[in-house]
Amino acid sequence: MSRKTVNWKCGVSGALAGFSNGFFGAGGGMVLVPLLLGWVRLEEKKAFATSVAVILPICAVSCAVYWWKGLLDLGAALPFLLSGAVGGWLGGRWYDRVSGKLLRRIFALLTIYGGFRCLF
């Protein structure tokens, strides 16, 4: 695959993840990881790590838009931010101990569970 094709696919993938994050208030990684794995053809661990790096600025932009529109309740978010930071730290520490195949399966199960909860 040419570098130009990869750059184009990365740009489209990022835009879709950003739209999903801004529109649904979450889900950028749920869109980005499958695109990085299947369309851009990144190796599993690189796809997950790249998604984490991309989601931070996407979330910051979405957060700013929600704040500007008066839709953000930081008081309600604070407990999730603190515990989420601990969970993120733990996940990052354990990341290299898990195979890419297992990561993909866990991600798939969480995605299916989330989709099921949204439907029912």
Side-chain angles (χ1 to χ4, degrees):
M1 197 173 340
S2 75
R3 187 72 187 148
K4 186 177 180 180
T5 301
V6 169
N7 286 341
W8 180 81
K9 287 182 176 185
C10 289
V12 170
S13 298
L16 290 170
F19 178 82
S20 172
N21 192 287
F23 190 72
F24 297 114
M30 297 299 225
V31 170
L32 191 57
V33 169
L35 288 171
L36 292 175
L37 288 170
W39 202 35
V40 178
R41 301 277 186 220
L42 279 182
E43 180 262 324
E44 284 134 344
K45 286 207 164 200
K46 284 187 179 184
F48 284 99
T50 300
S51 175
V52 169
V54 170
I55 294 306
L56 177 61
I58 289 173
C59 286
V61 170
S62 296
C63 184
V65 170
Y66 284 127
W67 177 77
W68 182 66
K69 289 184 169 199
L71 300 171
L72 181 62
D73 182 354
L74 284 176
L78 188 60
F80 298 101
L81 291 169
L82 297 175
S83 59
V86 172
W89 180 79
L90 287 171
R93 297 273 303 164
W94 294 338
Y95 184 73
D96 60 343
R97 298 178 187 162
V98 178
S99 72
K101 186 176 183 179
L102 181 58
L103 273 175
R104 203 168 25 157
R105 288 183 176 170
I106 292 168
F107 182 78
L109 288 172
L110 288 172
T111 303
I112 291 167
Y113 172 75
F116 184 79
R117 292 288 307 206
C118 285
L119 288 173
F120 304 102

